[in-house]
Amino acid sequence: MSHSISLTVNGARHDVTLEDARVTLLDLLRERLQMPGTKKGCDRGQCGACTVLVDGRRVNSCLTLAVTVDDSDIVTIEGLAEGDSLHPVQTAFIEHDGFQCGYCTPGQIMSAVGLIAEGHAGDDLERIREGMSGNICRCSAYKGIAEAVQDAARRMAADEERKSA
Amino acid sequence: MRAFDYTRPASIEEAVAAWTPGAAYLGGGTNLVDLMKTGAMGPAKLIDLTCLPGLDAIEVKGDGSTRIGALVRNSDLAHNRDFAARFPMVAEAILAGASAQLRNAATVGGNLVQHTRCPFFQDGISACNRRDPGIGCDAIGGDTGSMAVLGWSQSCIATHPSDFAVPLAALDAVIEIAGPNGSREVPMAEFHRLPGDTPEKETALEPGEIVTAIRLPAEAAAFAAHSRYLKLRERTSFAFALVSAAAALVIEDGRIAAARLALGAVAAKPWRVAGAEALMVGEPPSPELFARAATAAMEGAMPSGDNAHKIELARRTAARALARAAAGTPAEMPALPASVFGDPAHA
Amino acid sequence: MPDPIPMPTRFGSSGQPVTRRDGVAKVTGAATFAADNHPNGLLHAVYVPATIARGRVVSMDVAAARAHPGVVEVYTPDNSLKLAGDPDAKPFMFAFRMHVLQTDRIAYANQPIALVVAETIEAANEGARLLAPVYEAETPRVTLDDAEGYKPEAAGFGAAETVHGDVEAGHAAAAKSVDLTYETPSQYHNAMETHAVVAEWDGDRLTLDLPNQAIVMSKAAYGYYFGIPPQNVLIRSPYLGGGFGSKAMSHAPVMLAIAAARAIGRPVKLMLRRDQMFGPVGHRGATRQHIRIGIDGDARMTVLDHHSLSATSTFDDFIEPAANASQGLYDAGALRSSHTGVRLDVGTPGPMRAPGEASGSAVLECAMDEMAEAAGMDPLEFRLKNYAETEPGTGKPYSSKALRECYAQGAEHFGWAGRPLEAGTMRDEAGMLVGWGMGTALFHAPMFAAEARATLRPDGTGLVETGAADMGQGAWTALAQIAADALGLPLDKVEFRAGTSDLPDGGVAGGSGHTATAGGALHSAGMDAIARLAEIATADPASPLHGAGNATIVARDGRLVVEGDEERGEDFATIIARAGGEAVVGTGGASRPPEAGAAHAMYAHGAVFAEVKVDPELYQMRVTRLVGAFAAGRIINPKLAESQLYGGMIWGLSFALHEEARHDRRTGRIVNGDLAGYHVPVNADVTGFDVITVHEDDPYVNALGIKGVGEIGITGTVGAIANAIRHATGTRVRRFPIRIEDLLAGG
């Protein structure tokens, strides 16, 4: 039984025929759409390395069956920067050294973008830490990650204010 | 993962009609897809419920009850301001569970019907009466630190992992169900089942039935000023409960007018004891009273292995949750929901 | 005493907190890890793990697996993939015996018993499940009491027994003593990137996309196993998604995938599932440590006697060298470190971040606290009382040792003064029990061997090359900084090539010695290139440098100048152009001459101070402050070094409170073999961490004065946290991790 789905990934439309309904969104991105930026860390929703935005919400792509994201809008780490211009979260991760090996980083960054959009943590470090706890970093760059998210949240809030002023 | 057919019905009727033995309903997938990967489950057909219309609303009905559509995502419910104001410990329990990503995907209906995290169930290899009725239970005599201390049987010692279900039980939620034989309602107290000789029957759902909504009765909102969820865990966040408790009080003129107490991670269902609640009514709140209530709530507890510590910890957690509830619901959600840390004085 | 090695005279980018050069690649998803590769015709392989720990496979349903749509091939011991080299031999360093389907015997849970290759991941996984092996199981031995001990030949990569002084006399001389037994569990590296390979054959040439901590050295290993010359192996490992010691050697699942690619004639990708990380790719072996300390009436240590019973597998040896952590630190009258091995039905342990030091320091620092308490002394005061001015036992001078400063700065920053001696007396405003503890950090400052090449290109820019590996420590950045300085070029004028096996041997990224070793080689190569260029310039009558003594010439910002007369000079490009436009190539290597190691004891040091809060009734614990002050010689990049130290300290937190693989006694399986069950810290666990790097000049340790920071952060930290919990609660828990129920039982 094959399934035709149509989804937008980083702004580009993809029409995909899946011969196998078992394919997860993570494996669809990595193995079929050749977008390996999203990482597989546990494949079971226990580490957050595979975090992407589906219709603006951060989710674990490893537990999302590809057939269920028909008509969805997906944003991955490859779609965050605009050309050479990095997203404020990406910039902040570099400045605060919010990673070491870089493997969990795409998931951390997508999770941070989701967290900031959710708007419940603000720039409160304890709330940021709690909100980022679904993303495990074995190198343990947690201090830099939390500070990067705080910094990016502040910068983005300031940018918003400037725009609305 | 076994290969499966996939279908996405457009109505509850279509969904129910699509059901055949061996099929499974798919919500957010955070539990089912995982279990399909480990081999613990292998449905021949997945019926994707996520596009069913009309199941994603949170409404206050004319009778004052609150109806939560089964497809409402966990995070959307917890962050719904009106809902969280009326049922703060429900919101706190949701936010104490899993991770933000999982809460964003998981539906509230799926949360209720999620399966135990007993490793002997999840691994798809060990003997497990839930997976294969009659085959035996490898959890007994195994690693039992997370296993039940109440209501277990020789056929199963697993616990229910949900945080969300615990305050729902305390607040007398009602589960709305649709199925091949029409619609019906089941009180939360009867929704999850103790294992007995049939641990494979985890809930009151009959084959082909779907949870369509969760309803909180009007009186449940009366506890809003004094209700807390407390969850003991092995790391600060993103961990299942070692034990947990939902406590809710109505305090009038310095005395407890109504009390609710449910415990999590101690049994195959959220654990509620009417007597424990009744003994608090009419009394002024005090640590001694809460200790008595907690002791009553844990009456009959028995270790199912090397887990006697859970009994004492559950008692203490219940007493502390009651003390926190008596102190009043915090004005805003704690930064670390349901955590022993980050709250003002308790001792 | 030999003359000190001369220090480089000037550093430009070194010492600067430069952001990672691979930062943009890593935040945009452009950084390519092994499993991100996808050559044409790619097949996916999944290995089938044994679900018992001891016994044999009786049968597997190969037909069912083969019949699954998409399955291409199934390998079992009946049609196993033959290797050219003997997987049971240990012909070179870091070689461990591997189970590559040569037998139906099972020696540990998760041992490979089959390999399924398919067109898709989904088909490979389901094919693997369909094999449904039937076993003949035997009672597994998975705890330290399940088998007899034996006397090992070595512990880790060091000695199994080291004795200094008269240990029995030391015990006899003790006015007070402690005699303690502690246990540490088996722990698993669990790098976020599971072990993975994409293997592609072209005749007898093999290309591997493979995370690897010893890239060039590993060529020989794969050459050996597959019967091809090492130069036919190309390993590409530009980024490792964490290594922690587990990615320096070859492992069975990877070997099987490579062999399958050859047999089938198509490229094969294999990526371990998370549960498969618990067995075939090494771990930190469990220990039971017996430690005895004696003190005289003046609280000076008469003896430090440390023994570790360390688990290994039934088929190979890696003894967690825990007791060796007691060498080199405290000035005890007599010192003994000894080990006993015990063979269990587990995968062979291996080096895991601070092997031996982590588990040994955990116990040593707890024991020091117990001794201090018995002596009625402040823990820091007791350690200072037994401060070693020269290496205990050997009497060797330290190449440098700023531990006193670490203690002082750490204690000051933490606010250690005024800590009540008595346990259980501090509470915070919320009623939480508060405890303060400390521990000393110690780690060797080793060097291995590396080579490098530095090229000055006609346009005046530099190209430096060595097969170094970046597993997160920041090699791409810190090594480039060292090279830029050696070449006298700004960092942005230096191209750095690393991470592939066709480059000069960058050595092993491990043992906290990579920056010193690969960096030393780059420094040496850079100096060589500059010397060659200087030779050209000074011999060229048209150069302003003509006739200047070669020794007086230094490189500054892309120019050669005469030291002390920097107006007299010329830029690289001009010199090269006049000489015919040929790039100038220098080479160099680095290793530690044996006499340097004989003359000095070389260690990095540190002091860690912890504050914990513990709920007085529910006993949930949280580390609320952790201050580490470390002296580790020259810090090339403070930003990256601090990240390493924070990471190490969080590993210490993880050791103290979280990590433990639990075996089912009946099957030998690990019951918590996933990231939901095998806990490591999450972001919310990390608050109040501070790192201080204490200035330390070391003229002896190596040319660059570098000691390494990758592992020391774990040492000291575990003990500091455990001691703080004791101080908060009054309960001393002598097993790790410390659990809520342990404190409940103690309270």
Side-chain angles (χ1 to χ4, degrees):
Chain A
M1 193 162 120
S2 72
H3 306 270
S4 294
I5 59 170
S6 184
L7 68 168
T8 304
V9 184
N10 302 328
R13 196 84 188 151
H14 293 267
D15 297 308
V16 181
T17 299
L18 290 168
E19 72 289 351
D20 192 332
R22 295 176 294 189
V23 178
T24 61
L25 174 57
L26 174 60
D27 288 329
L28 175 75
L29 291 168
R30 289 181 55 81
E31 304 294 341
R32 287 164 174 80
L33 300 182
Q34 310 297 334
M35 282 185 266
T38 306
K39 296 294 182 270
K40 184 180 284 189
C42 70
D43 213 24
R44 296 187 58 192
Q46 300 169 350
C47 80
C50 67
T51 303
V52 300
L53 302 183
V54 175
D55 296 330
R57 302 160 67 95
R58 50 175 168 158
V59 301
N60 302 113
S61 62
C62 72
L63 292 180
T64 307
L65 292 172
V67 284
T68 66
V69 293
D70 191 14
D71 278 336
S72 295
D73 183 34
I74 316 290
V75 180
T76 73
I77 191 70
E78 290 100 332
L80 212 52
E82 288 177 29
D84 288 340
S85 173
L86 295 180
H87 187 282
V89 173
Q90 293 172 312
T91 306
F93 265 67
I94 294 175
E95 284 176 10
H96 293 270
D97 212 33
F99 52 88
Q100 292 182 24
C101 79
Y103 193 81
C104 73
T105 312
Q108 298 277 1
I109 288 175
M110 297 315 293
S111 188
V113 171
L115 171 94
I116 292 168
E118 287 157 15
H120 307 301
D123 63 358
D124 179 296
L125 267 182
E126 187 87 312
R127 287 178 194 274
I128 288 169
R129 288 186 202 109
E130 164 64 25
M132 291 297 292
S133 284
N135 292 82
I136 290 176
C137 172
R138 184 57 158 161
C139 299
S140 302
Y142 291 126
K143 186 177 154 82
I145 292 167
E147 288 169 358
V149 177
Q150 182 189 46
D151 189 7
R154 283 180 179 159
R155 278 191 246 177
M156 289 167 73
D159 281 352
E160 278 304 305
E161 239 168 69
R162 250 196 312 278
K163 270 183 214 157
S164 59
Chain B
M1 192 186 290
R2 272 182 66 179
F4 55 86
D5 290 336
Y6 171 85
T7 177
R8 192 187 306 149
S11 69
I12 293 173
E13 295 69 31
E14 273 184 45
V16 170
W19 191 85
T20 48
Y25 292 117
L26 177 69
T30 55
N31 186 216
L32 178 57
V33 174
D34 180 35
L35 291 171
M36 289 164 67
K37 288 186 181 189
T38 67
M41 302 195 76
K45 183 200 283 186
L46 277 192
I47 304 164
D48 185 350
L49 304 180
T50 55
C51 293
L52 299 186
L55 297 185
D56 58 355
I58 306 164
E59 321 157 78
V60 179
K61 310 297 274 188
D63 64 356
S65 68
T66 299
R67 186 177 185 276
I68 310 156
L71 293 177
V72 171
R73 308 284 170 164
N74 282 234
S75 52
D76 291 339
L77 182 61
H79 291 302
N80 181 291
R81 276 181 186 282
D82 294 339
F83 180 84
R86 288 161 67 83
F87 308 106
M89 73 175 175
V90 179
E92 189 169 20
I94 291 173
L95 294 177
S99 67
Q101 290 96 315
L102 291 166
R103 297 191 294 265
N104 271 344
T107 63
V108 296
N111 189 318
L112 287 189
V113 302
Q114 68 177 304
H115 301 277
T116 180
R117 294 317 197 273
C118 172
F120 301 93
F121 169 80
Q122 286 196 107
D123 67 14
I125 302 161
S126 303
C128 174
N129 288 319
R130 280 180 187 245
R131 267 192 281 109
D132 299 302
I135 197 168
C137 170
D138 276 350
I140 294 171
D143 185 52
T144 50
S146 65
M147 301 296 167
V149 292
L150 283 159
W152 52 272
S153 73
Q154 286 303 323
S155 60
C156 180
I157 60 172
T159 58
H160 195 261
S162 171
D163 292 300
F164 174 57
V166 182
L168 289 186
L171 295 174
D172 281 335
V174 172
I175 312 306
E176 296 182 12
I177 293 167
N181 298 318
S183 300
R184 64 190 183 106
E185 296 184 346
V186 174
M188 188 64 188
E190 293 164 25
F191 186 74
H192 294 103
R193 298 181 69 261
L194 293 177
D197 296 329
T198 54
E200 72 278 11
K201 273 196 67 67
E202 297 176 304
T203 67
L205 290 178
E206 295 295 334
E209 286 191 321
I210 302 168
V211 172
T212 53
I214 299 163
R215 218 172 55 239
L216 283 160
E219 59 271 24
F223 295 95
H226 293 280
S227 68
R228 292 305 300 273
Y229 185 67
L230 179 62
K231 175 176 177 179
L232 207 58
R233 57 204 124 166
E234 289 172 350
R235 62 184 176 193
T236 307
S237 185
F238 200 16
F240 288 100
L242 184 54
V243 293
S244 70
L249 302 169
V250 175
I251 301 177
E252 286 169 359
D253 303 326
R255 289 185 180 270
I256 294 169
R260 300 288 175 83
L261 177 65
L263 286 103
V266 293
K269 60 187 288 186
W271 197 260
R272 238 185 114 182
V273 173
E277 296 173 355
L279 70 80
M280 290 184 273
V281 175
E283 302 288 327
S286 73
E288 295 71 30
L289 178 71
F290 296 147
R292 274 202 292 136
T295 301
M298 292 300 293
E299 206 171 285
M302 285 269 290
S304 57
D306 187 20
N307 59 0
H309 59 274
K310 282 186 70 168
I311 299 172
E312 182 58 26
L313 287 171
R315 270 193 209 110
R316 295 183 185 196
T317 300
R320 177 74 62 77
L322 286 164
R324 281 191 166 186
T329 306
E332 63 169 342
M333 184 62 67
L336 301 174
S339 171
V340 299
F341 294 103
D343 254 31
H346 56 74
Chain C
M1 206 164 77
D3 286 341
I5 299 163
M7 302 282 287
T9 51
R10 183 172 178 270
F11 278 72
S13 63
S14 287
Q16 301 302 312
V18 178
T19 58
R20 288 173 196 264
R21 294 185 111 199
D22 48 351
V24 171
K26 284 179 175 173
V27 302
T28 56
T32 304
F33 294 84
D36 297 346
N37 291 285
H38 200 108
N40 286 333
L42 184 69
L43 293 172
H44 296 268
V46 168
Y47 98 79
V48 180
T51 57
I52 62 167
R54 186 183 179 200
R56 80 181 188 90
V57 182
V58 175
S59 65
M60 285 186 272
D61 195 347
V62 175
R66 281 184 191 279
H68 189 68
V71 170
V72 171
E73 189 53 273
V74 178
Y75 298 102
T76 72
D78 291 336
N79 64 333
S80 72
L81 293 150
K82 295 281 181 279
L83 301 183
D86 181 359
D88 293 316
K90 288 164 73 87
F92 46 83
M93 195 179 169
F94 294 147
F96 284 87
R97 295 195 175 95
M98 291 179 286
H99 288 88
V100 285
L101 311 182
Q102 68 269 47
T103 170
D104 62 1
R105 285 290 309 172
I106 292 166
Y108 64 98
N110 277 350
Q111 175 188 316
I113 55 172
L115 185 81
V116 177
V117 186
E119 298 285 350
T120 65
I121 295 177
E122 295 77 23
N125 269 316
E126 181 61 1
R129 194 186 69 80
L130 287 167
L131 280 175
V134 176
Y135 303 101
E136 202 172 84
E138 296 161 33
T139 305
R141 298 153 298 189
V142 289
T143 79
L144 291 166
D145 296 313
D146 290 349
E148 293 293 310
Y150 74 99
K151 204 169 166 51
E153 285 176 16
F157 301 116
E161 182 160 335
T162 305
V163 181
H164 293 293
D166 187 336
V167 173
E168 296 317 319
H171 283 301
K176 278 187 182 152
S177 60
V178 291
D179 181 332
L180 307 164
T181 302
Y182 277 77
E183 293 199 6
T184 68
S186 53
Q187 301 174 340
Y188 285 76
H189 305 77
N190 275 310
M192 294 312 296
E193 176 203 36
T194 62
H195 291 246
V197 66
V198 175
E200 187 167 16
W201 287 87
D202 178 9
D204 66 351
R205 305 191 72 84
L206 172 62
T207 301
L208 299 174
D209 292 301
L210 176 77
N212 193 294
Q213 291 178 239
I215 299 169
V216 178
M217 192 172 83
S218 295
K219 274 197 305 193
Y222 291 100
Y224 166 77
Y225 288 116
F226 292 100
I228 55 175
Q231 62 270 24
N232 283 16
V233 180
L234 174 64
I235 298 172
R236 298 187 294 210
S237 187
Y239 304 102
L240 290 85
F244 313 119
S246 72
K247 288 173 179 166
M249 58 287 291
S250 309
H251 297 295
V254 166
M255 303 305 281
L256 290 171
I258 299 169
R262 189 182 218 178
I264 297 170
R266 286 172 64 180
V268 168
K269 180 188 294 191
L270 175 140
M271 182 171 208
L272 293 197
R273 295 195 311 252
R274 180 58 56 182
D275 59 292
Q276 296 172 333
M277 293 287 281
F278 292 80
V281 293
H283 68 283
R284 192 194 303 286
T287 72
R288 178 180 296 143
Q289 299 178 45
H290 183 206
I291 188 164
R292 290 180 285 168
I293 300 174
I295 55 170
D296 64 17
D298 191 30
R300 290 182 193 281
M301 291 163 70
T302 59
V303 65
L304 171 53
D305 192 0
H306 193 164
H307 174 265
S308 178
L309 178 69
S310 301
T312 187
S313 69
T314 56
F315 54 94
D316 209 344
D317 298 74
F318 188 91
I319 300 298
E320 175 76 359
N324 291 346
S326 281
Q327 298 287 330
L329 183 51
Y330 295 115
D331 188 20
L335 269 172
R336 175 163 60 193
S337 299
S338 59
H339 299 82
T340 302
V342 56
R343 297 200 179 280
L344 303 179
D345 300 306
V346 298
T348 308
M352 173 162 156
R353 201 173 190 178
E357 290 90 352
S359 37
S361 158
V363 172
L364 170 63
E365 292 305 317
C366 285
M368 287 296 285
D369 231 58
E370 295 212 45
M371 189 71 253
E373 196 173 328
M377 285 176 77
D378 175 83
L380 175 54
E381 188 192 342
F382 177 62
R383 284 168 174 84
L384 284 167
K385 187 92 182 172
N386 290 283
Y387 194 89
E389 301 295 350
T390 57
E391 188 182 42
T394 70
K396 278 198 259 183
Y398 291 102
S399 61
S400 62
K401 180 175 180 178
L403 176 56
R404 237 182 249 291
E405 292 74 12
C406 293
Y407 283 140
Q409 291 185 31
E412 169 71 24
H413 188 88
F414 183 84
W416 180 260
R419 171 190 179 274
L421 275 187
E422 200 186 331
T425 61
M426 298 200 298
R427 295 232 177 185
D428 74 357
E429 66 287 351
M432 289 283 172
L433 301 172
V434 178
W436 290 355
M438 57 90 53
T440 310
L442 179 80
F443 201 83
H444 293 273
M447 278 189 76
F448 309 107
E451 291 162 3
R453 186 162 54 229
T455 305
L456 291 168
R457 294 190 282 215
D459 64 357
T461 64
L463 165 67
V464 293
E465 299 166 286
T466 187
D470 195 328
M471 49 193 182
Q473 82 279 36
W476 279 118
T477 310
L479 294 180
Q481 287 176 265
I482 291 170
D485 284 350
L487 290 174
L489 282 170
L491 189 55
D492 62 1
K493 295 275 191 262
V494 175
E495 181 190 346
F496 177 35
R497 289 186 191 154
T500 62
S501 64
D502 52 357
L503 297 171
D505 188 352
V508 183
S512 298
H514 198 40
T515 308
T517 312
L522 287 164
H523 173 75
S524 157
M527 300 298 263
D528 184 45
I530 291 301
R532 286 169 193 269
L533 187 67
E535 221 163 273
I536 294 168
T538 53
D540 182 350
S543 170
L545 293 167
H546 182 249
N550 205 341
T552 68
I553 293 191
V554 292
R556 293 269 188 280
D557 204 16
R559 289 162 49 84
L560 292 188
V561 297
V562 174
E563 194 159 31
D565 179 15
E566 301 201 4
E567 293 300 303
R568 186 177 168 196
E570 196 171 29
D571 65 72
F572 298 171
T574 307
I575 300 169
I576 295 171
R578 227 178 15 246
E582 285 282 314
V584 175
V585 180
T587 58
S591 62
R592 177 174 293 148
E595 60 274 18
H600 288 94
M602 300 174 186
Y603 298 94
H605 294 89
V608 183
F609 297 84
E611 176 183 272
V612 300
K613 293 190 176 176
V614 183
D615 189 288
E617 294 157 347
L618 305 175
Y619 295 113
Q620 195 173 317
M621 295 156 264
R622 196 179 193 206
V623 174
T624 47
R625 288 195 295 136
L626 196 67
V627 174
F630 298 96
R634 183 187 300 279
I635 300 300
I636 298 300
N637 184 323
K639 198 184 204 64
L640 308 188
E642 283 171 20
S643 286
Q644 283 291 292
L645 292 165
Y646 281 122
M649 288 162 69
I650 295 167
W651 271 57
L653 158 64
S654 194
F655 192 123
L657 301 185
H658 299 303
E659 284 184 56
E660 172 182 31
R662 298 192 300 275
H663 290 270
D664 187 282
R665 298 284 305 265
R666 301 157 301 179
T667 61
R669 264 204 306 279
I670 291 170
V671 291
N672 61 332
D674 59 45
L675 291 178
Y678 185 90
H679 280 179
V680 298
V682 295
N683 207 314
D685 289 306
V686 177
T687 175
F689 276 55
D690 273 314
V691 159
I692 299 165
T693 46
V694 173
H695 182 85
E696 192 176 65
D697 288 320
D698 191 323
Y700 304 107
V701 66
N702 50 53
L704 297 167
I706 295 169
K707 287 182 172 176
V709 291
E711 292 162 278
I712 189 172
I714 311 177
T715 71
T717 301
V718 187
I721 292 170
N723 294 336
I725 287 170
R726 155 73 182 172
H727 190 237
T729 63
T731 300
R732 174 61 74 174
V733 180
R734 298 197 182 91
R735 71 178 293 288
F736 291 102
I738 298 171
R739 303 168 303 181
I740 289 172
E741 54 263 43
D742 299 324
L743 297 181
L744 179 70

